[in-house]
Amino acid sequence: MNAKRTESRSRIAVVTGAGSGIGRAVAVELLGAGWSVALAGRRAQTLEETAALAPEGVSLTVPTDVSRPQDVDALFSAVVDRFGRVDLLFNNAGTFGPGGVPVEELPYDAWRHVVDTNLNGAFLCAQAAYRRMKEQDPQGGRIINNGSISAHTPRPHSVAYTATKHALTGLTKSLSLDGRPYGIAVGQIDIGNAATDMTARMQTGALQANGEIAPEPVMDVADVARTVRHMAELPLEANVQFATVLATAMPYVGRG
């Protein structure tokens, strides 16, 4: 792990999946707003690249596989050792898995990999954050889960991803309820077609429910990052339980 600069800030965030895409955009947004941010992800190099995008920010890079309990424990121990507390977890790390594979052909190993990352990883990180938030003084904090539009409506041939994102909604609701006595606010952001490497194929053509291939509009990932920051900076007495941020003309509402 590597720490950038030594001074601490009043608000401490952990962002998983911070090496690319939505996680990177949110981390940079928070760093620019004066948060101290722990950047977690599988690859140290991409985490360092994220940190370099906000050179004036106070960041800590911690290579982490969120599906491994020992990695998650090490992440949150490093954050508390470095900054003293956890005010925010953006629970973002995830994988789509093998795209376009019919359910009858999906290998179990592929299913398990998606579940381990998207659901088990989200639970492990939320549990670790919850423990610190409950124990620290002053008590409390905020957890924001990245749900995806797939938490509402599936794409064709996306059974593993969709199942985990539906499950994440249940995780959000349970954590939100259980966190009330301890000042722990938990919400979820459901994102549709933010322009990242994961969604690049949508601009050239994505499989639709009617079997056609059609390009889909995308939106600037910075718009997602600003929404997460708004949720994060609310006082703990207020909570955005669910937010949906999507490309305006994407085929989601109505019939497309």
Side-chain angles (χ1 to χ4, degrees):
M1 78 186 66
N2 179 61
K4 279 175 57 65
R5 299 174 61 181
T6 57
E7 61 266 47
S8 181
R9 303 283 180 94
S10 60
R11 295 171 297 182
I12 312 302
V14 178
V15 177
T16 66
S20 62
I22 292 168
R24 170 173 284 180
V26 168
V28 170
E29 177 74 17
L30 293 174
L31 286 165
W35 289 70
S36 297
V37 182
L39 309 171
R42 293 175 185 266
R43 294 174 292 169
Q45 180 178 344
T46 59
L47 297 177
E48 293 293 345
E49 291 169 356
T50 298
L53 294 173
E56 298 305 312
V58 179
S59 62
L60 174 71
T61 59
V62 189
T64 306
D65 181 344
V66 298
S67 70
R68 297 168 56 88
Q70 60 269 38
D71 278 23
V72 174
D73 288 342
L75 166 63
F76 282 87
S77 293
V79 173
V80 172
D81 288 347
R82 172 71 174 83
F83 297 117
R85 60 182 290 111
V86 179
D87 295 304
L88 171 69
L89 166 64
F90 181 44
N91 220 352
N92 168 73
T95 180
F96 193 80
V101 179
V103 61
E104 71 273 17
E105 298 176 13
L106 184 69
Y108 177 73
D109 287 347
W111 164 273
R112 182 63 182 269
H113 175 65
V114 176
V115 172
D116 281 345
T117 303
N118 295 5
L119 181 56
N120 295 342
F123 163 73
L124 290 170
C125 290
Q127 183 184 56
Y130 187 102
R131 287 171 174 162
R132 270 69 176 190
M133 291 171 180
K134 181 180 177 182
E135 296 168 357
Q136 64 197 10
D137 184 21
Q139 191 180 62
R142 189 180 305 275
I143 298 169
I144 301 173
N145 294 323
N146 183 349
S148 167
I149 291 293
S150 291
H152 304 269
T153 302
R155 287 185 176 276
H157 306 322
S158 67
V159 63
Y161 185 79
T162 299
T164 58
K165 293 302 185 177
H166 274 65
L168 203 60
T169 299
L171 180 69
T172 298
K173 291 179 178 180
S174 289
L175 289 170
S176 184
L177 179 61
D178 293 345
R180 286 178 181 175
Y182 312 110
I184 300 172
V186 185
Q188 181 170 311
I189 184 167
D190 297 325
I191 302 161
N193 287 17
T196 66
D197 290 342
M198 182 181 285
T199 61
R201 70 186 189 282
M202 294 178 183
Q203 298 178 68
T204 56
L207 180 63
Q208 305 297 307
N210 63 2
E212 295 180 357
I213 303 294
E216 295 187 12
V218 298
M219 63 177 168
D220 192 331
V221 70
D223 295 324
V224 175
R226 284 192 290 270
T227 305
V228 173
R229 178 185 164 194
H230 167 71
M231 296 169 70
E233 293 186 343
L234 289 171
L236 291 177
E237 293 77 16
N239 186 40
V240 176
Q241 187 67 72
F242 292 98
T244 302
V245 183
L246 71 165
T248 303
M250 69 175 289
Y252 170 65
V253 177
R255 296 181 181 271

